[in-house]
Amino acid sequence: ILNVEQSPQSLHVQEGDSTNFTCSFPSSNFYALHWYRWETAKSPEALFVMTLNGDEKKKGRISATLNTKEGYSYLYIKGSQPEDSATYLCASNYGGATNKLIFGTGTLLAVQP
Amino acid sequence: DSGVTQTPKHLITATGQRVTLRCSPRSGDLSVYWYQQSLDQGLQFLIQYYNGEERAKGNILERFSAQQFPDLHSELNLSSLELGDSALYFCASSVAAGGFYEQYFGPGTRLTVT
């Protein structure tokens, strides 16, 4: 059974703090790693898709890195704002032509003003 | 707004009944996925269709079935409903079937079985 793990489970930070979360996944036959942002009462929103070892992606204050050899990805948020409060999900993909995603249970981020 | 639509938003029904959830993908997307989120679990992949054909299957129960129509909308049919089927059901779409394409999620259908 393929298991994707995320840590920490939840995180409370102050506005302006920088923070990071970890996603661990089985590295064997790995194909792609997805990050999603999920706000309460909304649907998951795609942030990044990464495939290559050493990949780094950035969108505004949010960035992510990928290590496919050891099976982990980090998501960084610089200068957290209250609007960053959400659950951050990662999902790994092992299919070839299929796009089956295996999701972690997420990291819940709460940013206090 | 992702461009993926799902109806209905909420559904309350009794055990033993059958329901149909509907999903329209983003314009131009050929692939549709269904996911289930129960209270105690993360997002679980159910099934994927690509251009009308089933492409991948997850832990979908035999009581559940799905299809994708020629206009690319998809329906998830849940029958002989049990209390444990109460969950949030998401549909997502992507432009193609490969693993590196972003998936765009709809707003979900919350199913409550009483």
Side-chain angles (χ1 to χ4, degrees):
Chain A
I1 295 177
L2 295 170
N3 218 23
V4 174
E5 294 182 358
Q6 291 189 245
S7 63
Q9 208 167 10
S10 64
L11 199 49
H12 294 255
V13 301
Q14 292 295 124
E15 183 174 352
D17 288 349
S18 292
T19 187
N20 64 85
F21 332 125
T22 305
C23 172
S24 301
F25 54 89
S27 55
S28 180
N29 299 317
F30 168 83
Y31 191 67
L33 193 283
H34 295 234
W35 278 101
Y36 288 84
R37 180 171 177 276
W38 192 359
E39 286 183 72
T40 304
K42 294 190 178 178
S43 50
E45 173 197 348
L47 287 174
F48 307 114
V49 181
M50 297 181 287
T51 56
L52 300 175
N53 187 43
D55 251 355
E56 286 189 34
K57 294 268 175 112
K58 190 172 180 189
K59 192 183 271 191
R61 293 178 292 96
I62 305 178
S63 60
T65 61
L66 179 66
N67 182 320
T68 62
K69 293 182 194 248
E70 294 179 47
Y72 64 84
S73 174
Y74 293 136
L75 187 81
Y76 301 91
I77 302 179
K78 189 177 173 182
S80 302
Q81 299 296 308
E83 58 265 29
D84 295 329
S85 298
T87 295
Y88 292 83
L89 293 170
C90 70
S92 60
N93 176 282
Y94 300 87
T98 62
N99 201 3
K100 174 180 171 177
L101 292 180
I102 300 167
F103 280 87
T105 50
T107 293
L108 175 61
L109 174 67
V111 183
Q112 305 278 18
Chain B
D1 182 359
S2 67
V4 178
T5 60
Q6 287 186 250
T7 56
K9 214 168 182 177
H10 301 277
L11 200 46
I12 302 174
T13 189
T15 53
Q17 295 298 305
R18 174 190 165 95
V19 297
T20 297
L21 313 184
R22 185 189 164 105
C23 166
S24 292
R26 284 188 331 156
S27 175
D29 283 0
L30 297 178
S31 206
V32 168
Y33 316 80
W34 286 97
Y35 293 90
Q36 179 193 57
Q37 167 142 45
S38 306
L39 269 176
D40 55 348
Q41 292 197 355
L43 277 168
Q44 300 289 316
F45 169 74
L46 294 178
I47 197 162
Q48 176 198 8
Y49 280 83
Y50 175 71
N51 207 19
E53 294 192 4
E54 183 184 303
R55 182 60 74 101
K57 227 170 182 174
N59 297 327
I60 187 166
L61 298 171
E62 280 191 21
R63 300 182 285 109
F64 295 3
S65 65
Q67 58 185 127
Q68 186 180 27
F69 294 87
D71 67 352
L72 300 176
H73 91 271
S74 177
E75 292 180 358
L76 179 68
N77 300 297
L78 316 175
S79 60
S80 303
L81 284 167
E82 301 175 0
L83 294 176
D85 297 328
S86 295
L88 190 50
Y89 290 85
F90 283 108
C91 164
S93 72
S94 64
V95 63
F100 49 82
Y101 292 103
E102 285 181 346
Q103 292 187 20
Y104 295 87
F105 281 75
T109 292
R110 183 166 293 284
L111 173 66
T112 303
V113 182
T114 60

